[in-house]
Amino acid sequence: MTNFEEAIQILKQEGVTFAAILPEEKTFPVPDKELPGSYITVTSRIYTSDKKGIAPVMDRMKEDYHFFQGAIVADRVIGKAAAMLLISSGAEKIYGELTSEHSFTVLEAAKSANSNFEYSVGEVVPYIINRTGTDMCPMEKTVLTLNPENVNSAFEPLKKKLEEMA
């Protein structure tokens, strides 16, 4: 089984929207299923989330910017925002079930800059839509004009946008 296949298999578990296989064990908080609204701390090489959008990535990057260094990531949706964040955090392999055309410039730039970087996609759409289906995803819109080669430029504008929307 390839690393992508393993990450995709984890992604297909019920309720999982994001999966990362980390190169080494890390300690991080996860929601406590017994006590909704509270968290427990786990140490694992596998990080999964049931959150939507870029939340699974931003949650970890706020605590440890390079949390995904060397990781193999499988996500239900990879837009330009998620691609920029994951690459700036150091992900080495990225799979998106649904991927925007805007993310390809970022993914291709990363592949050109790092021969170890790989990506794979399922369905490709012109852009990621918002949750109501009425417009472009606000996260994709936030990074739309950012240089795809300067992935580090995405974190602060996306963090600010999430705070505005909270």
Side-chain angles (χ1 to χ4, degrees), residues 24-69:
E24 59 189 36
E25 286 191 341
K26 291 194 177 197
T27 301
F28 49 90
V30 296
D32 185 343
K33 293 186 192 295
E34 303 293 319
L35 295 167
S38 62
Y39 289 81
I40 59 174
T41 301
V42 300
T43 300
S44 177
R45 282 191 64 225
I46 307 294
Y47 167 63
T48 62
S49 179
D50 61 355
K51 292 184 177 180
K52 295 185 184 323
I54 62 170
V57 179
M58 288 296 284
D59 287 353
R60 296 288 64 88
M61 287 181 70
K62 286 178 187 174
E63 301 292 323
D64 175 2
Y65 190 86
H66 297 287
F67 183 85
F68 297 101
Q69 185 72 42

Side-chain angles (χ1 to χ4, degrees), residues 2-156:
T2 68
N3 294 328
F4 272 134
E5 288 170 345
E6 186 179 353
I8 292 166
Q9 192 170 23
I10 295 167
L11 185 67
K12 291 186 180 201
Q13 294 174 13
E14 185 177 337
V16 174
T17 61
F18 179 92
I21 301 171
L22 308 169
E24 59 189 36
E25 286 191 341
K26 291 194 177 197
T27 301
F28 49 90
V30 296
D32 185 343
K33 293 186 192 295
E34 303 293 319
L35 295 167
S38 62
Y39 289 81
I40 59 174
T41 301
V42 300
T43 300
S44 177
R45 282 191 64 225
I46 307 294
Y47 167 63
T48 62
S49 179
D50 61 355
K51 292 184 177 180
K52 295 185 184 323
I54 62 170
V57 179
M58 288 296 284
D59 287 353
R60 296 288 64 88
M61 287 181 70
K62 286 178 187 174
E63 301 292 323
D64 175 2
Y65 190 86
H66 297 287
F67 183 85
F68 297 101
Q69 185 72 42
I72 301 153
V73 173
D75 197 347
R76 298 249 185 239
V77 178
I78 295 284
K80 186 174 180 180
M84 291 183 84
L85 289 173
L86 288 166
I87 293 164
S88 70
S89 184
E92 287 203 5
K93 297 181 185 201
I94 297 174
Y95 167 78
E97 276 188 352
L98 180 74
T99 308
S100 75
E101 290 175 1
H102 298 291
S103 69
F104 279 105
T105 56
V106 177
L107 297 167
E108 279 298 315
K111 190 175 177 108
S112 294
N114 177 358
S115 61
N116 292 325
F117 179 77
E118 296 177 40
Y119 70 90
S120 178
V121 300
E123 181 183 354
V124 178
V125 294
Y127 59 88
I128 304 304
I129 59 171
N130 63 15
R131 293 188 185 148
T132 60
T134 58
D135 195 9
M136 182 182 287
C137 165
M139 300 303 123
E140 183 132 329
K141 196 180 278 190
T142 298
V143 299
L144 199 59
T145 61
L146 296 181
N147 181 338
E149 294 174 0
N150 188 6
V151 292
N152 294 327
S153 66
F155 184 78
E156 287 302 324

